Amino acid sequence: VLWRFVQGRKSSRKAVLLLGLCDAGKTLLFARLLSGRYRDTQTSITDSSAVYRPSQDKSTNVTLIDLPGHESLRLQFLERFKAAARAIVFVVDSVAFQREVKDVAEFLYQVLVDSTVLRNAPALLIACNKQDVTMAKSAKLIQQQLEKELNTLRVTRSAAPTSLDGSATGGPAQLGKKGKDFDFSQLPMKVEFVECSARGSKGEEGEADLEGLEKWLVKVA
Amino acid sequence: ILTAPLPQERGGNNSFTHEALTLKYKLDNQFELVFVVGFQKILTLTYVDKLIDDVHKEFRDKYRNEFQQKGALGLLNGTFDFKDDFMRLLRDAEESSRVRAPTVMKTFEQSLKSQKTVKCMIETRGEKPKEKVKNKKNKGSKKDGTEAVAAPSKTSAGDKQLSAAGDKEELTKDEILQKNREEFFRRHMKAGEKSRSPKPDAQKEKGKKPRVWDLGNSNAKVLDYSNSATNGSAEACPVEEFDPDMALGDKNREPGRLYDLEYESDDEAEEEKVVQNPSKPSVKKGGLGGMFGMLKGLVGSKSLTREDMDPVLEKMKDHLIAKNVAAEIAVQLCESVAKKLEGKVMGTFTTVTSTVKQALQEALVQILQPQRRVDVLRDVMDAQRHRRPYVITFCGVNGVGKSTNLAKISFWLIENGFSVLIAACDTFRAGAVEQLRTHTRRLNALHPPESHGGRTMVQLYEKGYGKDAAGIAMEAISYARNQGFDVVLVDTAGRMQDNAPLMTALAKLIAVNAPDLVLFVGEALVGNEAVDQLVKFNKALADHSMAQTPRLIDGIVLTKFDTIDDKVGAAISMTYITSKPIVFVGTGQTYCDLRSLNAKAVVAALMKA
């Protein structure tokens, strides 16, 4: 009975969350992974979830959950689903990255310092989407920029005035090691960067360029 | 439309204007769909509401299976070929509105006439004639309802996404002709509600003397529409036994459906007493249906209707107002929550109260979450890199704590290693400059130049009293740039929002100097005034700015938070009005009393009983 109970608890984390800013391409990615077809999407205002069976490995399956990226909704949905997350796919718009780097980093920071996330340490994949556009930044560049930005955020967040009931806003959790510059390898979870394109290089009718993403999903499942 | 009203909990009002289009939308909470109809703002089309209702129904019925079985995959994979149906519905709706226009006049008169004849009998018969009148009206509106159902059912189809293009083409034809007809049409649709108002007038003419007693019993129902709670709470139970589909749409329809039961119990009640309490017969009926309703509510899935939620929402609204949330905001919030929950299927063993409370709590947390980043230090660092000072302006009405909180914020900035220049642009209030000078001296004593690499961390820039505030601010900023200060904090004089010349002066200061952050300082003790203050301040800033996109209030500083224990409603009012975040919270008069907002804690304090 105890064994069953423990097993039950473990397998309750079967979800893969799709997070990211607005217009990063989460819903399209979701649609592509599940159906292979291109759909016109609108800004999501609620979550969608479905079971995904990777095409390579038919036996395993994970539940993909697509959460809205809108600023006022994202934290609420994250609260709801973070306990069930086995892995997190953080979708980044590679084209608008230069402009949005601060917002991306802030959201990523919020996800990373969350106590539940730190405890469960789900695998993290940063998917640099929209690679079909010529101006897209490469995964390496995005990684460097994010590390720099998160480094700064660590300092500013911990220096922010303490919250009303005494709990610090930055949380007692310090991202990475104190003395050194922030690096993704300092996190307790596995972090990978992958390039992908939900739309596909041949326009709407063509296949999406999701190989790296799918391989990672198979690994995680 | 998806990014603005819905997430921000402004979903109470179901129309939204964006550039040249007006969008009316309807939420289906059971299947989580949004139906949107867009049309040109200059047109007023009354069949739109019905259109959207019927489209909603037809779409839902047609694709119900897909939704229920396949969930998200169904949505993705299903092809929703509704275009033909939609065009058909749209054409029918237009035709029906045209056809119905001449007949509208007759039915309106009919209902008026019938009311008049019945009215003279009202004093003697008590409840009975009222029921008759109500029934007549309901029949009238039901007739229209059935006609309309056939017509607008098409139009709901293609509206999962904005299909403004298709609508626009249809609507450009004979607008002028339709406009007049729609006026009548609309009046007829509202006839159900409005025709009740001529009733009490006529009654007053007839019997002035007996009026004094009658006012208590029979007219309470007619005159008092806001009190739908008494009607609703009792009717809620029997309604469940009927198809939940009938629950949406006019309220008129429901008394019509239940009429049979109500009528019988009215007879019994009538015989007993002269003075009738309108809620009494319904309570009696409620007793029977209530048992079944409650059981059904506990087990199995029940979809929420407006009537179920109304009493709970009333209570919640009063609770919020008691916690110092502005009255209009509380009303709008409850409306939006109601819209969001209507038709939603509740899980097992959840009561209506708990669902509504949960939804309200989520809505409140969402309002308090900042829309944009609230990290002042990060922005200051950016400005530092570009070698220009970061300018923060404080504005607000008299006596809210601008100067005190300015000192606290400068203390915080100095602690984090930024040098601050305080610009004394309050040239009116006696002692304002001296106050800031004292603060500067104290801060310098706390953080002497020796401990910060030889530079003075805080300095005061002032030009005495009676000068132009905008000019002083401009000079202060250029001085800061020359001397290499990181942050400039501009203190302005307190001013009432109604004082037009002072508001102009403030707007000029902000427009000319283009500060990086405009903070509105508001005290937590303020009640309904907060709404007025913020609206007028924003309006003044928008009106007097020359630029295309005027600088409005960017953030709020909530002060004197230690004086309220849990009546924290002002926070909600302010963020709701401006949708800007609360950047700082002031909790006292010493330098360390500066906090940031914790949305969950505030909402918890707000919802605590």
Side-chain angles (χ1 to χ4, degrees):
Chain A
V1 173
L2 278 176
W3 179 245
R4 275 279 173 80
F5 183 60
V6 171
Q7 234 184 12
R9 273 240 306 228
K10 259 193 168 172
S11 63
S12 68
R13 301 198 305 132
K14 270 178 72 83
V16 175
L17 305 182
L18 282 175
L19 300 173
L21 294 186
C22 262
D23 282 342
K26 303 180 289 296
T27 309
L28 182 56
L29 212 60
F30 183 69
R32 280 288 202 185
L33 281 174
L34 289 175
S35 71
R37 276 183 279 167
Y38 176 83
R39 316 289 302 184
D40 266 323
T41 58
Q42 297 288 327
T43 315
S44 320
I45 51 175
T46 182
D47 60 301
S48 341
S49 66
V51 176
Y52 169 68
R53 270 176 236 289
S55 46
Q56 291 92 334
D57 183 8
K58 285 284 181 191
S59 56
T60 56
N61 63 337
V62 279
T63 317
L64 277 181
I65 306 186
D66 169 35
L67 302 179
H70 196 262
E71 295 88 13
S72 38
L73 297 173
R74 57 168 81 137
L75 288 176
Q76 183 189 346
F77 283 99
L78 183 62
E79 286 291 304
R80 231 186 275 176
F81 290 105
K82 63 185 177 183
R86 179 191 292 193
I88 297 182
V89 178
F90 195 89
V91 186
V92 175
D93 182 347
S94 320
V95 177
F97 183 69
Q98 273 312 104
R99 253 185 304 128
E100 293 177 348
V101 63
K102 291 202 209 105
D103 299 316
V104 174
E106 196 212 0
F107 190 19
L108 191 56
Y109 183 83
Q110 275 175 329
V111 173
L112 290 175
V113 295
D114 190 273
S115 49
T116 322
V117 170
L118 280 177
R119 207 177 342 124
N120 295 339
L124 178 64
L125 175 75
I126 313 246
C128 309
N129 199 11
K130 306 200 188 175
Q131 290 291 325
D132 51 302
V133 183
T134 41
M135 294 297 294
K137 308 278 175 286
S138 70
K140 236 188 168 355
L141 184 65
I142 292 181
Q143 178 173 359
Q144 283 170 350
Q145 296 253 346
L146 275 179
E147 284 176 352
K148 248 193 290 175
E149 194 59 35
L150 284 169
N151 199 19
T152 336
L153 269 182
R154 270 196 309 174
V155 175
T156 58
R157 276 314 174 93
S158 52
T162 56
S163 173
L164 275 175
D165 56 358
S167 62
T169 47
Q174 256 286 3
L175 267 193
K177 309 212 177 44
K178 279 205 194 172
K180 307 201 292 191
D181 276 346
F182 177 75
D183 206 322
F184 276 110
S185 54
Q186 296 168 5
L187 289 174
M189 55 197 78
K190 285 185 289 161
V191 184
E192 283 182 34
F193 280 79
V194 111
E195 293 184 5
C196 63
S197 163
R199 185 180 283 208
S201 33
K202 300 174 210 73
E204 302 183 0
E205 300 306 315
E207 282 299 310
D209 204 0
L210 297 175
E211 292 210 21
L213 184 59
E214 287 178 350
K215 264 188 266 179
W216 183 83
L217 277 173
V218 171
K219 226 187 334 166
V220 157
Chain B
I1 197 185
L2 290 175
T3 54
L6 286 177
Q8 288 180 29
E9 294 303 318
R10 284 164 214 272
N13 182 19
N14 73 338
S15 80
F16 179 70
T17 49
H18 178 69
E19 292 165 21
L21 294 174
T22 308
L23 302 160
K24 273 202 188 293
Y25 58 91
K26 188 172 197 315
L27 305 172
D28 177 339
N29 292 313
Q30 202 181 3
F31 297 117
E32 302 193 324
L33 301 172
V34 182
F35 293 94
V36 186
V37 172
F39 50 93
Q40 285 187 339
K41 195 157 55 166
I42 49 178
L43 304 173
T44 48
L45 297 165
T46 46
Y47 62 76
V48 170
D49 286 323
K50 283 201 129 115
L51 198 72
I52 214 173
D53 276 340
D54 296 308
V55 167
H56 168 204
K57 251 186 279 186
E58 181 147 329
F59 189 86
R60 196 180 52 185
D61 295 332
K62 195 162 173 185
Y63 296 110
R64 184 185 284 262
N65 286 336
E66 295 209 19
F67 293 155
Q68 276 178 339
Q69 288 165 13
K70 302 188 215 149
L73 284 179
L75 282 176
L76 284 178
N77 296 330
T79 49
F80 300 101
D81 196 8
F82 229 65
K83 183 118 198 249
D84 307 326
D85 292 323
F86 170 64
M87 299 312 285
R88 177 175 45 97
L89 282 174
L90 181 60
R91 249 176 287 128
D92 277 355
E94 287 181 355
E95 280 174 21
S96 66
S97 69
R98 255 176 263 154
V99 160
R100 223 177 295 141
T103 58
V104 163
M105 294 294 293
K106 285 183 211 152
T107 48
F108 188 78
E109 280 179 41
Q110 263 179 11
S111 56
L112 255 190
K113 273 186 194 155
S114 66
Q115 284 169 40
K116 277 194 194 145
T117 52
V118 167
K119 263 178 238 174
C120 37
M121 297 192 280
I122 277 187
E123 283 109 272
T124 48
R125 292 251 202 106
E127 285 288 300
K128 222 177 198 172
K130 194 138 304 141
E131 295 303 321
K132 267 202 194 146
V133 173
K134 255 200 340 188
N135 190 20
K136 274 219 173 84
K137 245 178 291 163
N138 295 330
K139 279 202 185 140
S141 58
K142 246 172 82 167
K143 237 190 292 166
D144 283 341
T146 46
E147 282 172 18
V149 162
S153 43
K154 288 176 220 154
T155 37
S156 23
D159 282 337
K160 254 188 90 174
Q161 298 161 13
L162 280 176
S163 53
D167 274 325
K168 261 197 246 186
E169 289 163 38
E170 297 280 352
L171 306 172
T172 46
K173 307 172 190 167
D174 42 302
E175 341 167 358
I176 305 168
L177 213 63
Q178 285 221 358
K179 248 192 197 170
N180 293 330
R181 294 210 178 110
E182 277 131 25
E183 284 300 314
F184 289 130
F185 184 85
R186 202 185 319 155
R187 234 182 289 148
H188 171 70
M189 286 316 293
K190 302 279 177 32
E193 283 101 273
K194 283 198 189 152
S195 55
R196 291 194 191 187
S197 41
K199 254 181 90 183
D201 292 332
Q203 268 176 314
K204 279 193 183 134
E205 295 162 23
K206 298 262 158 108
K208 279 229 171 114
K209 279 176 210 142
R211 173 61 51 238
V212 182
W213 290 280
D214 282 346
L215 203 60
N217 61 349
S218 40
N219 286 323
K221 217 176 195 173
V222 175
L223 290 174
D224 192 354
Y225 295 131
S226 61
N227 210 2
S228 57
T230 47
N231 268 334
S233 56
E235 284 173 16
C237 305
V239 168
E240 292 154 29
E241 298 179 19
F242 298 107
D243 189 356
D245 278 349
M246 290 307 287
L248 48 81
D250 304 336
K251 265 208 82 164
N252 276 340
R253 258 185 251 163
E254 303 212 64
R257 275 296 298 248
L258 297 171
Y259 174 79
D260 307 335
L261 293 167
E262 223 177 343
Y263 193 56
E264 286 157 21
S265 57
D266 272 351
D267 274 339
E268 298 164 36
E270 248 183 294
E271 285 154 20
E272 291 165 11
K273 290 183 194 177
V274 176
V275 177
Q276 302 245 9
N277 204 344
S279 52
K280 237 206 175 149
S282 27
V283 165
K284 223 179 191 167
K285 167 189 41 134
L288 269 176
M291 289 294 276
F292 284 121
M294 254 192 357
L295 284 178
K296 206 171 190 183
L298 282 181
V299 185
S301 52
K302 177 178 88 136
S303 77
L304 278 177
T305 62
R306 204 52 197 269
E307 286 69 34
D308 296 337
M309 293 192 288
D310 269 345
V312 184
L313 278 177
E314 277 293 311
K315 241 190 292 176
M316 291 271 92
K317 187 179 72 154
D318 290 334
H319 177 79
L320 284 178
I321 293 182
K323 293 270 180 168
N324 206 21
V325 179
E328 320 162 351
I329 312 283
V331 167
Q332 283 180 28
L333 256 181
C334 288
E335 262 304 304
S336 140
V337 169
K339 281 264 167 73
K340 209 160 61 147
L341 288 179
E342 212 167 307
K344 196 167 197 160
V345 176
M346 296 197 314
T348 56
F349 291 108
T350 53
T351 59
V352 180
T353 322
S354 64
T355 322
V356 172
K357 262 205 182 136
Q358 176 80 1
L360 192 61
Q361 205 158 1
E362 282 175 7
L364 287 171
V365 172
Q366 215 172 297
I367 291 178
L368 286 178
Q369 295 286 18
Q371 297 274 58
R372 43 169 286 256
R373 297 173 314 109
V374 109
D375 207 350
V376 176
L377 287 177
R378 187 79 193 71
D379 296 332
V380 175
M381 277 194 203
D382 256 355
Q384 211 178 19
R385 217 174 329 142
H386 293 149
R387 289 182 196 287
R388 60 175 179 81
Y390 188 78
V391 183
I392 306 180
T393 311
F394 293 83
C395 60
V397 302
N398 312 64
V400 290
K402 287 184 291 298
S403 306
T404 314
N405 282 282
L406 186 147
K408 284 191 227 166
I409 291 174
S410 54
F411 179 72
W412 175 64
L413 286 169
I414 295 170
E415 293 262 286
N416 282 307
F418 297 112
S419 54
V420 177
L421 180 72
I422 302 180
C425 295
D426 185 352
T427 51
F428 176 71
R429 201 191 77 197
V433 179
E434 277 75 19
Q435 181 182 12
L436 290 174
R437 195 173 291 139
T438 313
H439 277 303
T440 314
R441 222 177 309 130
R442 271 202 216 152
L443 288 171
N444 269 325
L446 283 171
H447 285 270
E450 297 78 46
S451 58
H452 286 275
R455 56 187 181 130
T456 30
M457 291 310 280
V458 61
Q459 206 173 323
L460 177 67
Y461 188 89
E462 52 96 2
K463 288 278 184 211
Y465 292 97
K467 307 275 173 36
D468 175 34
I472 299 182
M474 195 160 17
E475 290 169 28
I477 294 173
S478 48
Y479 178 78
R481 199 177 300 127
N482 292 338
Q483 301 287 319
F485 279 98
D486 298 318
V487 188
V488 179
L489 298 178
V490 178
D491 186 24
T492 61
R495 59 205 74 210
M496 291 305 288
Q497 67 269 19
D498 295 326
N499 194 332
L502 289 183
M503 293 308 293
T504 322
L506 177 68
K508 182 182 132 200
L509 189 149
I510 289 177
V512 162
N513 292 304
D516 295 299
L517 196 64
V518 178
L519 289 179
F520 177 84
V521 184
E523 54 184 9
L525 298 157
V526 74
N528 291 322
E529 260 290 285
V531 173
D532 195 45
Q533 282 175 12
L534 279 167
V535 164
K536 293 236 175 84
F537 264 81
N538 265 332
K539 195 160 157 314
L541 289 181
D543 287 343
H544 298 291
S545 130
M546 295 298 135
Q548 194 74 309
T549 48
R551 290 301 309 278
L552 296 176
I553 292 175
D554 294 321
I556 301 172
V557 179
L558 196 62
T559 61
K560 309 190 188 169
F561 206 78
D562 50 326
T563 55
I564 51 171
D565 20 319
D566 62 343
K567 297 208 186 316
V568 296
I572 301 282
S573 322
M574 290 195 203
T575 36
Y576 190 87
I577 287 283
T578 53
S579 35
K580 295 291 190 299
I582 292 183
V583 184
F584 297 112
V585 180
T587 50
Q589 306 211 30
T590 72
Y591 288 127
C592 300
D593 291 323
L594 191 67
R595 300 266 179 275
S596 69
L597 188 75
N598 183 348
K600 292 211 191 76
V602 168
V603 173
L606 202 61
M607 298 296 288
K608 196 167 58 165

